[in-house]
Amino acid sequence: MRKTVYSLLASAFIVSAAGLAAVAQEDVVQHGAQVFMDVGCWQCHGTVGQGGAGPALLPNLHPEEVLATFVRQGTIGGMPPYTHAVLSNEDLHAIYAYLKSLPAPGTPELLQGE
Ligand code: HEC
């Protein structure tokens, strides 16, 4: 009986820890969306990374380190460098989490406007 109680308690703990992690990740994604708008990435890359004056960032999203290098250094083709003063590492990571959470352009999910 005692064993059952312990294992019930343990599984309740595991379930709530997983729930918390999911909520935290959702927060990061939402924060990333906000930063993407605030620092103006959307003006060149579109609000959902679909591209505009700048190239589409999806569906072939670069690995995070590569994306970070582009953002920190800027590009000769017109992308300004974003220094730590205007964009912290946490914010940059959140942008990445946001982009990663987006469906690739043209997938049924996006076409249905979800
Ligand atoms: C003023 C326009 C502009 C803004 C603002 C801008 N970019 Fe860019 N970005 C570009 C252009 C243009 C390129 C393509 C490289 C080039 O021609 O210079 C590019 C390239 C990139 C690339 C590489 C894409 C590839 O595969 O070539 C990434 C990743 C990227 N931008 C992410 C971002 C993020 C994240 C932000 C916001 C922090 C941002 N950009 C803000 C214009 C912009």
Side-chain angles (χ1 to χ4, degrees):
M1 175 60 191
R2 181 169 285 184
K3 245 190 190 156
T4 316
V5 172
Y6 280 145
S7 66
L8 276 179
L9 280 178
S11 41
F13 176 76
I14 290 165
V15 168
S16 58
L20 280 179
V23 168
Q25 182 59 22
E26 216 167 273
D27 285 351
V28 173
V29 167
Q30 275 185 11
H31 178 66
Q34 189 63 50
V35 177
F36 194 80
M37 304 307 156
D38 287 351
V39 300
C41 309
W42 68 275
Q43 291 177 353
C44 299
H45 295 289
T47 51
V48 288
Q50 77 274 29
L57 302 178
L58 299 167
N60 300 314
L61 183 62
H62 288 288
E64 187 167 356
E65 313 78 56
V66 177
L67 179 128
T69 304
F70 274 112
V71 172
R72 291 290 179 214
Q73 297 182 353
T75 67
I76 44 170
M79 176 157 146
Y82 287 80
T83 63
H84 291 261
V86 293
L87 186 67
S88 70
N89 281 340
E90 288 74 25
D91 286 353
L92 185 49
H93 173 72
I95 286 178
Y96 185 76
Y98 166 61
L99 291 171
K100 217 171 153 63
S101 78
L102 294 171
T107 59
E109 229 181 325
L110 194 70
L111 293 175
Q112 285 160 14
E114 282 170 3

